[in-house]
């Protein structure tokens, strides 16, 4: 029976870690590191439940899975808290449901059920099964993996989920303490514990669904804003090009007559007047024809910097830039856009 409990814990750890592997970039990918992470959690979980009060064991086990997450994946402190709290809440609430059902079926108290080793290990195995089924239901029906990624990288919504999980864990542990009070009617306690665990799981479904939808909407809004900014940059570029085209057309309109006059002066050997006319043509071109300044040795980078210069000019901001890309550097046009437009 002890092997059943150990096998159940290993299966649950592997299931959870493989789920997080899909959600977060891995620090370490070799299977030996996953084996070590499972061993760490087992090495902490089993002694904690055997030697410590359950109120401390719950959070110690949660800390062990957080440590495993930190060793295997890249994630911030909030994502690490989410991993640990979701792991522990799912298992603890499932355990509470199975314990309560056992107490009803056997017409005894939760305390008496917990004192039977055979019942305890069997219930733990069933709790692992229920937790896995509940997680699969969430992933397939409520929050698919593609949608869950939006939640995992939205700090505000993820913080709300973590706070909810912590509150529910504390709430369920307090109800579980009722088994130590003989003055409390145990049948009533079993009912309360069962209903509380079920409602906590149902509320988790609602919280995950709601926060995921909010995260998706915020992501969509951010994407829309980025598209609008990109469109604004394109419009500024088109307006800049339109001004250049208009100024060039105006200069070209007078160019033919100026060239005719230039030829006449040259044929008449009036070279001084011809030289002054060349100077006038040069001054006119510098004054009336908008020429884009070269900021770098790359055409695409010049366009990006020119767009920034046009924006600064509209807002009366002084702009100056010099950028030189070494010829031996390997950089794509997309990388240039990512680096200089963010």
């Amino acid at each position: 029976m002890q092997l059943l409990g150990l096998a159940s814990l290993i299966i649950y750890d592997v299931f959870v870690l493989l789920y997080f592997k899909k959600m977060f970039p891995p620090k370490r990918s070799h299977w030996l590191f996953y084996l070590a992470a499972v061993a760490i959690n087992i090495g902490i979980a089993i002694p904690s439940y055997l030697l410590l009060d359950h109120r401390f064991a719950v959070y110690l086990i949660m800390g062990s899975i957080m440590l495993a997450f930190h060793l295997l994946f890249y994630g911030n402190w909030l994502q690490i808290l989410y991993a640990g709290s979701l792991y522990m809440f799912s298992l603890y609430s499932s355990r509470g449901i199975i314990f309560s059902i056992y107490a009803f079926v056997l017409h005894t108290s939760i305390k008496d059920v917990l004192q039977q080793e055979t019942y305890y290990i069997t219930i733990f195995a069933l709790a692992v099964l229920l937790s896995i089924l509940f997680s699969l239901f969430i992933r397939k029906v409520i929050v698919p993996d593609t949608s869950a990624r939006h939640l995992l990288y939205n700090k505000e919504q993820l913080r709300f989920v973590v706070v909810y999980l912590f509150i529910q864990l504390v709430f369920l542990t307090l109800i579980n303490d009722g088994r130590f009070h003989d003055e409390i009617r145990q049948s009533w306690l079993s009912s309360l514990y069962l209903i509380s665990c079920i409602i906590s799981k149902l509320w988790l479904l609602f919280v995950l669904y709601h926060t995921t939808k909010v995260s998706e909407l915020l992501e969509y809004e951010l994407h829309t804003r980025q598209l609008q900014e990109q469109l604004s940059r394109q419009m500024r570029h088109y307006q800049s090009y339109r001004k250049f085209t208009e100024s060039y057309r105006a200069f070209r309109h007078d160019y033919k007559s100026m060239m005719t006059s230039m030829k006449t002066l040259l044929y008449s050997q009036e070279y001084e007047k011809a030289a002054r006319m060349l100077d006038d043509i040069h001054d006119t071109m510098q004054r009336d024809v908008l020429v884009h300044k070269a900021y770098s040795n790359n055409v695409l980078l010049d366009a990006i910097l020119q767009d920034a210069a046009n924006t600064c000019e509209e807002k009366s901001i002084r702009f100056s830039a010099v950028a030189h890309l070494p010829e031996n550097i390997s950089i794509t046009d997309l990388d240039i856009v990512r680096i200089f437009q963010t």
Side-chain angles (χ1 to χ4, degrees), residues 17-37:
L17 292 177
L18 289 179
Y19 168 72
F20 289 134
K21 185 180 179 182
K22 293 181 179 180
M23 296 292 106
F24 298 96
K27 284 183 182 178
R28 299 169 180 88
S29 301
H30 199 276
W31 64 271
L32 285 175
F33 292 106
Y34 286 85
L35 181 62

Side-chain angles (χ1 to χ4, degrees), residues 82 147-154 157-158 161 208 211-212 215:
Y82 171 76
S147 301
R149 290 187 179 90
H150 296 293
L151 170 62
L152 293 174
Y153 291 93
N154 186 308
Q157 298 304 314
L158 190 61
V161 177
L208 288 176
T211 53
T212 300
S215 299

